[in-house]
Amino acid sequence: MSDPISLATFLAEPARELNEFTVTPGVLGFTVFAALGAVVWILLRSMSGRLNRLDARRDERGD
């Protein structure tokens, strides 16, 4: 295995087994996607609350 050619063959071997039908996002992909969705939801709620407070202050001043 110290031969560079055999090392390249060893590293290239698993690449032939992978294709678009055998590679899936899996649990890690779902977890990352769900976390991004949760973060966006939290940010939208926060932004909505801040905008409502800004509108309430504007109404108090009479602008």
Side-chain angles (χ1 to χ4, degrees):
M1 192 90 157
S2 63
D3 185 15
I5 295 173
S6 63
L7 179 61
T9 305
F10 174 74
L11 293 175
E13 193 69 34
R16 278 190 258 149
E17 297 172 11
L18 301 177
N19 62 33
E20 64 186 70
F21 300 110
T22 59
V23 177
T24 61
V27 176
L28 179 62
F30 175 75
T31 305
V32 169
F33 188 75
L36 285 172
V39 167
V40 168
W41 182 70
I42 290 169
L43 287 172
L44 286 174
R45 285 194 52 182
S46 174
M47 183 182 69
S48 176
R50 290 178 183 272
L51 288 174
N52 286 337
R53 269 189 268 143
L54 184 65
D55 287 340
R57 286 182 187 164
R58 186 178 295 156
D59 290 341
E60 288 175 359
R61 287 189 302 176
D63 286 344

